[in-house]
Amino acid sequence: MLVFLVLFLAISLAPVDETPYREMPYYAQTKQRLAMLQVPPAGRQPLRAGWAKVNITPSYTTPTGGYGERLGKHWKIISDSIFVRAIMLDNGGTKVAVVALDLVITPPTVTEALKKRLPEVGLQWENLYMGAIHSHNSIGGWAPRLVGQLIAGSYDEKIVTIITNGVLAAIRKAQSNMAPIQIGFGETDATDLISNRLSSSGPTGLLDGKIRLLELRKKSGESALLCSFAGHPTLFDGDNSAYLSRDYPGSLVDRLEKKSATFALFLAGAVGSTAPKPRGKTDFQEIRNYAGDLAVRLERTMPTIQTHPDSTLSILTLPLGLREPNPRVIGNWRVRPWLFYALYGDYPSDLKALRIGQTVLLGTPCDFSGELAAELQPLAAKKGLHLMVTSFDGGYIGYITPDRYYNRQAYEIRDMNWFGPYNGAYFEEMMAGLLEKFN
């Protein structure tokens, strides 16, 4: 028995690979892909847009997708219906669908299904900008293998089909109501509503605490709001898994659709290592109050937004090379790739860059650090661009946090850093490179 254990550990564990990322083959490959990316030519007509949402709440109870103590327990009570929301954009030369899922992440299984089926709506993966609201009390059951089931409960292929069908249906509905639009950008500070979860492990930097929104307005007066914020949607406690909920993002878009716009879509921002600072005696009160605090700030900001016609629309997809999996288990020892892939799977990941007028959205396949997002803002400002950094764009590789914290003892850094050191600098460099593509 001892011999078998020693043999298993020998073939399963290895030291963490600390080779600087710029010396690794994956860096050179990704750098070359970045250099080859071309921004589409200028649009031939002013932007047109349409929007729609589709209810994908299953007719039966499913596991809860949300990590931790939920452990895939089935929800029993529908507090909120679960939607796919889509905004379709077209400038006569480029088409883009922005899609938000009322889920904890964009499931990689759904991403792979969409890559096969998007031609049904006249699109390719390169035309899609995905995100999720990051509610930890939403639908699970979409991830096979052991790690996926710890995150989202027992796998049910029907759930993958329900979500995929919902995405395609939302895009079709959005395509059916497209009209010329004017666009405008606004932002307001909400730093007081978040804290840095890593502060318990030592000193930390500033977070990106602004809530940002892009307004799209048709001549008919109909309008859509695309908004993003870095507050982690964990106001439903982990032991409250009986409820199916969209957490505060759901309450926020509901209020915006009642008071401020025809349609609203929320994308989780740089939520890596942030925590919400709620007020209320129950989870339901916290959700209502938190969403209300954000909504009030947006409602004060919206009258200052000046909308205007624009034809600028570009989307870039950068396939992301990565170091071999390096999840640490004991000290500086990591699981070998064969075991990681057996437990989780091997899914491709991308960085996305979407420009709508003077606003750029950068999409990441992870819980992306709010500190790193803040460090990208000066470059965008220098180029005269508004920047929104979002998480969960289709793949999922765990947390990306500042490299200076790599040896700290914290959940986000030890348990959820799956691809080794130096990824903070690597991601920042590639995201800055995408920003530089937009002149």
Side-chain angles (χ1 to χ4, degrees):
M1 185 66 179
L2 180 60
V3 172
F4 176 79
L5 177 61
V6 171
L7 179 60
F8 178 77
L9 291 175
I11 64 174
S12 302
L13 302 181
V16 167
D17 180 1
E18 296 186 350
T19 306
Y21 74 94
R22 288 180 174 168
E23 298 176 14
M24 300 291 286
Y26 72 82
Y27 171 77
Q29 293 164 0
T30 307
K31 191 79 171 176
Q32 184 177 21
R33 294 187 195 116
L34 176 63
M36 294 175 64
L37 284 178
Q38 298 292 322
V39 174
R44 297 195 294 266
Q45 63 186 34
L47 281 168
R48 300 170 68 247
W51 42 80
K53 60 184 177 183
V54 170
N55 192 328
I56 59 168
T57 310
S59 58
Y60 57 95
T61 182
T62 73
T64 303
Y67 304 90
E69 56 198 290
R70 295 165 185 84
L71 291 175
K73 296 174 184 175
H74 279 235
W75 51 266
K76 300 178 178 66
I77 302 165
I78 299 176
S79 178
D80 299 314
S81 293
I82 304 302
F83 291 89
V84 172
R85 295 168 187 263
I87 296 174
M88 189 71 204
L89 298 156
D90 187 354
N91 70 352
T94 299
K95 295 180 179 180
V96 176
V98 180
V99 175
L101 305 177
D102 286 346
L103 303 175
V104 67
I105 64 172
T106 299
T109 48
V110 171
T111 297
E112 295 309 302
L114 285 170
K115 289 177 180 179
K116 297 175 182 176
R117 295 189 57 193
L118 278 168
E120 296 175 23
V121 292
L123 302 175
Q124 302 292 332
W125 175 246
E126 290 72 23
N127 301 104
L128 200 61
Y129 190 97
M130 294 287 297
I133 65 170
H134 203 45
S135 168
H136 291 54
N137 268 61
S138 188
I139 300 168
W142 33 256
R145 302 179 187 263
L146 178 60
V147 173
Q149 292 181 32
L150 290 174
I151 294 171
S154 299
Y155 180 60
D156 181 354
E157 190 172 350
K158 295 193 295 295
I159 295 297
V160 175
T161 301
I162 288 171
I163 299 168
T164 305
N165 287 344
V167 171
L168 298 175
I171 292 173
R172 286 192 189 96
K173 288 182 69 175
Q175 289 171 332
S176 72
N177 64 66
M178 296 184 71
I181 59 166
Q182 294 189 352
I183 61 174
F185 176 84
E187 64 181 13
T188 185
D189 188 61
T191 307
D192 57 305
L193 297 181
I194 57 174
S195 62
N196 197 323
R197 297 195 313 200
L198 296 179
S199 61
S200 61
S201 66
T204 55
L206 297 176
L207 294 170
D208 179 9
K210 290 190 175 179
I211 180 166
R212 299 180 174 88
L213 72 159
L214 184 67
E215 182 179 1
L216 312 160
R217 183 169 293 276
K218 296 179 180 179
K219 291 180 181 179
S220 64
E222 295 175 285
S223 64
L225 297 177
L226 190 167
C227 58
S228 182
F229 182 59
H232 221 103
T234 49
L235 300 183
F236 254 120
D237 293 335
D239 59 359
N240 221 347
S241 58
Y243 292 93
L244 182 67
S245 170
R246 291 178 284 146
D247 210 281
Y248 82 79
S251 182
L252 175 61
V253 297
D254 287 350
R255 172 161 169 167
L256 292 175
E257 289 180 347
K258 287 179 181 177
K259 295 190 174 184
S260 304
T262 313
F263 176 86
L265 178 153
F266 182 92
L267 296 171
V271 297
S273 68
T274 68
K277 295 169 70 174
R279 56 185 179 84
K281 295 182 179 180
T282 69
D283 292 352
F284 292 99
Q285 288 179 357
E286 288 181 351
I287 288 170
R288 183 172 62 251
N289 293 338
Y290 200 81
D293 289 342
L294 290 171
V296 165
R297 299 178 197 208
L298 291 177
E299 288 159 2
R300 291 172 181 163
T301 302
M302 287 187 61
T304 69
I305 297 175
Q306 297 182 344
T307 60
H308 56 274
D310 204 310
S311 62
T312 307
L313 181 66
S314 305
I315 186 166
L316 300 173
T317 300
L318 178 62
L320 197 61
L322 292 168
R323 189 183 301 264
E324 285 186 341
N326 271 249
R328 291 168 289 179
V329 288
I330 304 171
N332 214 33
W333 287 81
R334 64 177 172 103
V335 170
R336 289 186 184 271
W338 73 266
L339 183 55
F340 177 85
Y341 292 135
L343 295 175
Y344 177 67
D346 185 6
Y347 302 103
S349 296
D350 304 311
L351 290 174
K352 292 271 188 174
L354 169 62
R355 180 173 179 179
I356 307 169
Q358 292 301 107
T359 300
V360 174
L361 287 80
L362 289 178
T364 62
C366 57
D367 284 75
F368 190 72
S369 165
E371 293 185 52
L372 297 177
E375 292 171 7
L376 287 164
Q377 289 294 333
L379 174 60
K382 183 179 179 181
K383 296 177 71 63
L385 298 170
H386 310 296
L387 178 61
M388 301 168 72
V389 177
T390 66
S391 300
F392 318 117
D393 71 358
Y396 187 69
I397 62 169
Y399 275 61
I400 298 297
T401 53
D403 298 331
R404 58 187 176 273
Y405 303 152
Y406 185 69
N407 290 312
R408 291 190 183 184
Q409 299 299 312
Y411 163 81
E412 296 84 357
I413 299 166
R414 289 287 307 187
D415 298 359
M416 295 301 294
N417 183 321
W418 296 347
F419 285 87
Y422 311 122
N423 278 317
Y426 174 49
F427 268 61
E428 272 198 287
E429 180 177 342
M430 295 304 160
M431 292 165 76
L434 287 170
L435 264 177
E436 292 286 4
K437 291 285 182 177
F438 300 124
N439 295 321

